[in-house]
Amino acid sequence: MSASTDPSDPDSSGIAGTAPPTTGRRGGILGPEHRLLSIGMIAVIFVIAFEATALGTAMPVAAHELDGVGLYAFAFSAYFTTSLFGMVLGGQWSDRDGPLRPLAYGIAAFACGLLVAGTAQSMWAFVTGRAVQGLGGGLVIVALYVVVSRAYDERLRPAIMAAFAAGWVVPSIVGPLAAGTVTETIGWRWVFLGIPALVVAPLAVALPAIRRTASGPVDPTAPRVAFDRRRIRLALAISLGAGLLQYAAQDLRWLSLAPGIAGAALLVPAVLGLLPRGTYLARRGLPSVVLLRGIAAGSFIAAESFVPLMLVTQRGVSPTLAGLSLALGGLTWAIGSWVQSQGRVEPYRERLMVLGMVLVAVAIAAAPAVLIAWVPVWTPALAWGVGCFGMGLVIGSTSVLLLELSAPEEAGANSAALQISDALTNVVLLAGGGAAFAALGGGAVGAAHDAAAGGGASRPGAFVVV
């Protein structure tokens, strides 16, 4: 969250420190010392993963029914836009009072957003629900990183990050199948309305375990540090600026230049104030880690958002099979994360990250080949399996390096910066890709016939440009 990562800089944090991690001598992440905590956090990841995989399956039909295919990218980027504010707030809140409350309120907001999206009668109402989800998701992800920093020593951190990735495996396989079945039988709304019930289990397991191991300030006797209002204002500016930029990209009128310019004017200084100094110059150390994380996650997720829509509207694939085209990725992502967690590869972490980035680039470049009629429809599934393996290497490694390069009192702030880099790059790339998609006629896909039947206009160029 700070413009500087120098602990001696009085403006670099303004946040209470985090507790030293436990020693971890009593076994691994599922040993007696960490078992309930690990299971609870993995359960939280499970719910987030299930929603993400189910969303990709239901979205083509939801956008068609709500007459909002032209706003398709906005439905994804709205989540990341509000999550930017949630991440900054969550970082300060976690460092100040501990991660328990940010996590609880974040899960509650996430569930409320699902209910709003599931009952939406227009695409803009659906986008609003996604925005509420994003606020909760931003709080949750930063709070989880702070828990890892406090409760796990350096030896166990790669393993818990790998476990987070493993939490995506079952949802990536079951989620698209379940969401597709629900969408095709009783309607896409129940995909969103049913997920909040899954929130109960993570709350029951994770929150008590966090209360016992990583809650509260490090030193309860120390004066309570106030929220850094300057950074809260920057967080509001970055979220508002990103939202205006996304709106301008979707509107595609000359009048939309005004909100676009206003969004950029808010966004640029806010980003410079919230990310580590030197991030966009790729300076050695923490700035490079934060930058690389954003490039990897932003480009991959922005491209992934359009894969199910591409398969449904251009190749006539059912929503269920379109969602399952991404299912292999959950498994290979977990494998990649497991590979980076092995102690024997620690000396080669930088090379693993380079390999991961190359695999991500290959996957994004290969997926649109399915627009050629004679290319098998399973091509994106294979490409995404390769890309997700690369993402497992990159995401796991950047998470480990971030905690290694962060002073204990900056764990929340730097974790927030890492997640901001993720979300901001997603917003920017979805805005640009969504604008190009709409300009090339993407809003017409699925408009002529029912999207679930694979009908609609053929706009291969709109997908290629994304």
Side-chain angles (χ1 to χ4, degrees):
M1 288 171 8
S2 61
S4 170
T5 57
D6 181 1
S8 64
D9 183 353
D11 192 42
S12 68
S13 178
I15 304 168
T18 55
T22 57
T23 61
R25 287 190 293 267
R26 299 176 60 192
I29 62 172
L30 294 179
E33 186 177 350
H34 298 99
R35 184 179 297 122
L36 288 179
L37 179 62
S38 298
I39 292 174
M41 290 198 299
I42 294 169
V44 172
I45 295 294
F46 181 93
V47 173
I48 294 174
F50 191 88
E51 184 274 339
T53 55
L55 174 70
T57 302
M59 263 302 298
V61 178
H64 170 71
E65 185 175 313
L66 296 174
D67 194 24
V69 176
L71 295 174
Y72 188 82
F74 215 164
F76 288 93
S77 64
Y79 180 99
F80 298 112
T81 298
T82 53
S83 70
L84 290 166
F85 177 74
M87 290 166 187
V88 177
L89 178 62
Q92 288 205 25
W93 197 355
S94 296
D95 281 345
R96 180 176 181 258
D97 298 327
L100 182 64
R101 287 185 179 179
L103 185 60
Y105 280 97
I107 292 176
F110 189 83
C112 288
L114 285 167
L115 295 176
V116 172
T119 57
Q121 299 301 311
S122 69
M123 193 62 174
W124 281 111
F126 183 88
V127 169
T128 300
R130 291 287 293 156
V132 175
Q133 277 185 260
L135 178 62
L139 291 171
V140 168
I141 193 65
V142 172
L144 289 178
Y145 269 68
V146 175
V147 173
V148 171
S149 174
R150 290 191 177 194
Y152 298 84
D153 67 11
E154 292 186 6
R155 178 180 62 87
L156 295 179
R157 288 173 188 168
I160 191 63
M161 293 300 177
F164 284 176
W168 282 76
V169 174
V170 173
S172 67
I173 297 172
V174 176
L177 181 61
T181 301
V182 171
T183 298
E184 294 173 16
T185 54
I186 62 176
W188 63 268
R189 296 183 184 276
W190 290 101
V191 173
F192 295 88
L193 296 177
I195 292 176
L198 300 177
V199 172
V200 177
L203 282 175
V205 178
L207 298 187
I210 293 172
R211 182 179 292 111
R212 289 192 300 270
T213 59
S215 66
V218 178
D219 184 3
T221 64
R224 201 174 186 212
V225 178
F227 282 103
D228 189 329
R229 294 184 180 180
R230 172 179 172 271
R231 283 175 172 74
I232 296 297
R233 289 194 297 269
L234 288 176
L236 287 171
I238 199 174
S239 294
L240 180 59
L244 288 172
L245 194 65
Q246 178 65 29
Y247 175 79
Q250 293 294 303
D251 197 31
L252 294 180
R253 293 183 299 171
W254 285 109
L255 290 176
S256 66
L257 285 175
I261 294 171
L266 287 170
L267 193 62
V268 173
V271 169
L272 294 176
L274 290 171
L275 295 186
R277 186 174 294 149
T279 295
Y280 291 104
L281 297 176
R283 288 181 180 168
R284 179 182 292 273
L286 186 65
S288 301
V289 172
V290 171
L291 177 62
L292 183 61
R293 172 66 167 262
I295 292 173
S299 57
F300 194 74
I301 300 303
E304 183 183 68
S305 301
F306 286 86
V307 171
L309 184 66
M310 179 172 64
L311 291 172
V312 169
T313 61
Q314 305 302 294
R315 293 298 298 266
V317 176
S318 71
T320 302
L321 291 178
L324 284 172
S325 69
L326 306 178
L328 178 63
L331 177 60
T332 57
W333 190 311
I335 293 173
S337 188
W338 176 82
V339 169
Q340 67 80 32
S341 73
Q342 302 304 296
R344 67 177 69 94
V345 303
E346 183 63 34
Y348 310 103
R349 187 164 299 279
E350 291 79 6
R351 295 184 183 180
L352 286 178
M353 292 175 66
V354 172
L355 173 62
M357 290 295 289
V358 170
L359 295 178
V360 168
V362 168
I364 294 174
V370 76
L371 294 167
I372 303 172
W374 53 266
V375 173
V377 294
W378 46 261
T379 300
L382 179 61
W384 237 243
V386 172
C388 283
F389 178 80
M391 286 293 287
L393 297 176
V394 174
I395 299 301
S397 293
T398 51
S399 299
V400 171
L401 288 172
L402 174 98
L403 296 177
E404 289 180 359
L405 294 169
S406 298
E409 67 273 11
E410 293 185 325
N414 289 341
S415 295
L418 191 73
Q419 303 304 325
I420 287 170
S421 182
D422 268 10
L424 181 62
T425 314
N426 268 292
V427 169
V428 171
L429 290 178
L430 280 168
F437 180 77
L440 292 176
V445 301
H449 303 287
D450 183 58
S458 177
R459 296 289 189 272
F463 291 98
V464 171
V465 73
V466 173

